[in-house]
Amino acid sequence: MSNCIETLPHLKMPPPPEDETIAHKGHFYGVYLLCSQSLDSRYRGKCYVGFTVNPKRRIKQHNRGCDFGGAKKTSKKGPWQMVMIVHGFPNNISALQFEWAWHQPTLSTRLKIFSDLKRKKPKETHFDYNFRILNRMLGVGPWHRLALTIRWLETDYERAFDLPIPCHMEIVSGKVSISASQRKLEEATGSAPPVAWAHECHLCMQSIEQPERSRLGCTNPFCRLTCHMLCLASYLLGDEPGQYIPIGGECPLCETRLSWFALLQRKRLQLGVPGEMQDNEEEDLSDDGLDVDSDVEVQEFSD
């Protein structure tokens, strides 16, 4: 039986060739879970939650220690494995808020109502406790409306969620690399043929002013869908009263399944909008900014 909230089938996406996904530098925001592989029994199996814009670089920093950009709370308690990462956040602020709540479920307004998250169960591993917190978070607003990807980085830890998660979220396996090279991105995703845009919106039938900024189309490269951004948002919202940002839906022309996040991400890349956070800004936000002492971490690193 499908383990998801909606009735649509929840498919686990196969890993890409070479088991690695290429993401665009400046447009990737992830919240990861580390597990210690230390030979010291005081630290082995302990966990750490953090934010990153570059997973490969971040795990190297953690394992080299705080003198090389790693976190003080992970220094000399490894080696560490980055076992999973949640990405697909629209911006760094959204990802940092998710990280903070995962750190501190007893303080988060949205999570503190769940009494089962207050502490680790008897004989429950630190990984299982953090995984249980994540499972609950994915079904709670506002996160349950985000087009998130739950990516397993280490197959030894991979398992199914106990609680259903929204079907518009993907569960995938495989590493992720960050690249600024347009050539590498095109090799990974395939270069699309040029779009033959219409002069009018297919939904309201009005001309589109400033099309470079207000026009959206289908992710199917052979579909000619041309819409105002607001018109397509209203169409995808359908019968969701009280909501302003859609999750996704079917293209009104070709019926391709659309993700609102993917549409906006593609628009940002087309416009050349820079990422909101440069690589050298990551540490200030993840380790010294919102990375304060938390119930989860204090409990996990206590002797």
Side-chain angles (χ1 to χ4, degrees), residues 22 32 138 183 223 279:
I22 306 295
Y32 59 83
L138 296 175
R183 179 183 58 82
C223 178
D279 287 346

Side-chain angles (χ1 to χ4, degrees), residues 16 21-24 182-192 221 269:
T21 295
I22 306 295
H24 199 289
Q182 188 62 33
R183 179 183 58 82
K184 287 185 178 180
L185 291 166
E186 289 178 355
E187 288 176 354
T189 60
S191 56
L269 293 175

Side-chain angles (χ1 to χ4, degrees), residues 233-292:
S234 298
Y235 175 86
L236 294 178
L237 280 171
D239 56 353
E240 293 189 86
Q243 300 294 338
Y244 299 96
I245 301 177
I247 294 173
E250 290 187 350
C251 170
L253 288 188
C254 71
E255 299 183 351
T256 294
R257 190 70 186 173
L258 301 177
S259 161
W260 186 250
F261 170 77
L263 291 173
L264 295 187
Q265 185 80 326
R266 186 179 66 166
K267 189 68 174 178
R268 289 185 64 194
L269 293 175
Q270 289 173 345
L271 292 174
V273 177
E276 296 183 27
M277 178 177 295
Q278 301 301 317
D279 287 346
N280 60 4
E281 294 174 330
E282 177 190 342
E283 287 74 32
D284 291 338
L285 286 169
S286 63
D287 293 337
D288 300 326
L290 293 185
D291 183 16
V292 296

